[in-house]
Amino acid sequence: MRQRAWSLVEVATLLRDLRVSAPARGEHSVLRSLSHRVDFVFDLADRRLAAADVNDPAASTMLRQARAAALELAGDGPVGLVHGDLHPANVLSGPDARMVAIDPRPVWGDPDFDAVDRVLEGAADFAVLEQRIEELAALVPDQSPHRVLGWCRALAALIAVPGRCAGRDDAQTQFLMALAEG
């Protein structure tokens, strides 16, 4: 298998497959909640900024607000099996060119979380983001465009803040900062 670009139709098929094949959440599941995954990724961002000796109160505030928004989404949404780390490097071309998700960080939570990396990938314009969200939602049953956009807003800070603190000021970083500010 090799890594390759993923088209909208292919990622929609993968997201549908993840939703359809999800087992019912068991009372004794070893999987944690999406809230746990959210805390993990925001803690990681905090540690990376601290290790880089970044003292930016605005960045800290943005990350704190984004964490709160993400935890709210994780706490009030539908519950299903979530891959948890579904980005292009974790999607390979399998037999018959079928998409294969690898290296999961599985949790129980809102399956719309898994759409974020696909719709944000390379986006630097709100209209483009909205179009991607709508197109994907049309292909994935039960996907909520409103919730995907909420996840995008909450998780944009995780991508934008470290880049901005490192001096990056390209169009995508500016867009992600604006999206995170909401």
Side-chain angles (χ1 to χ4, degrees):
M1 288 190 263
R2 63 178 177 80
Q3 181 183 337
R4 64 180 184 87
W6 51 354
S7 74
L8 183 67
V9 172
E10 289 171 322
V11 78
T13 300
L14 181 62
L15 289 171
R16 280 194 314 267
D17 288 350
L18 287 170
R19 287 172 185 250
V20 170
S21 63
R25 181 177 183 171
E27 185 176 313
H28 304 290
S29 176
V30 297
L31 298 182
R32 295 182 177 201
S33 70
L34 183 53
S35 296
H36 181 269
R37 178 80 180 147
V38 166
D39 275 332
F40 171 79
V41 295
F42 278 94
D43 286 346
L44 184 60
D46 289 341
R47 284 194 307 270
R48 286 180 177 162
L49 290 176
D53 200 25
V54 171
N55 183 15
D56 184 339
S60 296
T61 298
M62 180 178 278
L63 283 173
R64 195 170 41 258
Q65 291 170 342
R67 180 192 295 245
L71 287 171
E72 184 176 330
L73 282 165
D76 74 356
V79 176
L81 185 61
V82 177
H83 180 279
D85 196 23
L86 195 62
H87 57 81
N90 282 346
V91 178
L92 303 176
S93 177
D96 300 321
R98 188 171 174 97
M99 303 290 283
V100 178
I102 63 167
D103 197 20
R105 303 288 188 267
V107 295
W108 290 112
D110 182 355
D112 290 340
F113 177 90
D114 279 336
V116 171
D117 284 319
R118 170 55 177 99
V119 297
L120 279 180
E121 182 184 16
D125 177 86
F126 192 74
V128 169
L129 176 62
E130 280 188 314
Q131 179 181 356
R132 287 178 180 179
I133 290 170
E134 291 296 329
E135 288 174 351
L136 191 58
L139 297 169
V140 180
D142 299 323
Q143 187 166 71
S144 165
H146 174 74
R147 290 191 64 81
V148 172
L149 179 57
W151 280 114
C152 288
R153 288 188 187 284
L155 300 178
L158 286 173
I159 303 165
V161 168
R164 177 60 66 89
C165 290
R168 197 166 56 233
D169 195 32
D170 56 52
Q172 185 177 26
T173 301
Q174 291 174 15
F175 168 68
L176 292 171
M177 291 293 287
L179 186 62
E181 290 170 353

